[in-house]
Amino acid sequence: MSLGRDSIISLGSKLPPALGIFGRLRALLDDADCDVEEISELLQMDPALTFQIIRLSNSALYGLGSRCHSLDDAIARVGFGEIHQLVGLVVARAAFQGDLALYGIPAGRLWENAVAVGSLASAIARRAGQDAGSAYSAGLLRNLGKIILNNHPGARQYPGEAAAPDLFAWEKSVYGTSSPEATAMLLDHWRFPLEIAGAICTHATPVTAAEFTAGAATLHLAGAIATDWGCALPGETGLWRRDAAMCALAGVEEEMLEGAATDARKQFGRFATLEWSQAA
């Protein structure tokens, strides 16, 4: 069986449309001249996303002052630095609502892994002098390809780590593409920055990632630490390396990882306090 780009894009069209908005937001925030009005106009393209951002901006995480009633108020309260993270959380939660039965992954674990890897990748990238926002996006969305392969009409049951310890190699043998490659195709189609798609596509083997090496290695290290946290996904446990060579590829000192992990734990804890029932 060979799952081509057209099929992947077609299956991806069934995912929440706000994913495309999230990609455009990343590019917009990279523009030093962007303002609240431009961000608001972009987010308002999806009324459901707008509603959730306003409601979550009123959660305890962002203080208990006067309530926000408009998107402009919500953006002002959350701030430019956090609006990207908050939109990413809302978008990823919408995308990762269903169990991946053929992988044996409950929706809750998929979501937990996304937030853990996104938080860790951002913290590591910041210490390495990389774009922390792009690293966060890559960590948060890297599993979209699993949804595509799981929902493909000809999808097969993953046999488990005992039979196929390298999930990505198993996917490649079955579908002709791996879930990271499928994710990269989707993000490229949605016009996410190339460095995000490239890092995801190559993060299992950063040493061969060419111009994407630093971002891929950062994502790889994030996967390793998330595994130490108990947030691993089936078939990925043995894929990650956390050593001096991988740190060198990411451009970060090995001793910096503990500090990055501590920062990411705090962020992970903050996100866990979000009152998602308010965004229903």
Side-chain angles (χ1 to χ4, degrees), residues 200-227:
I200 292 173
C201 188
T202 58
H203 75 289
T205 54
V207 70
T208 62
E211 70 267 33
F212 305 118
T213 293
T218 295
L219 203 53
H220 190 103
L221 288 168
I225 300 173
T227 297

Side-chain angles (χ1 to χ4, degrees), residues 137-138 141-142 180 183-184 187 195-204 219:
S137 298
L141 302 180
R142 73 180 189 94
T183 301
L187 297 188
E195 63 267 22
I196 296 176
I200 292 173
C201 188
T202 58
H203 75 289
L219 203 53

Side-chain angles (χ1 to χ4, degrees), residues 110-135:
L110 193 65
W111 160 250
E112 181 182 60
N113 179 269
V115 177
V117 175
S119 299
L120 283 160
S122 175
I124 295 169
R126 191 172 292 110
R127 280 167 168 72
Q130 300 175 33
D131 184 337
S134 292

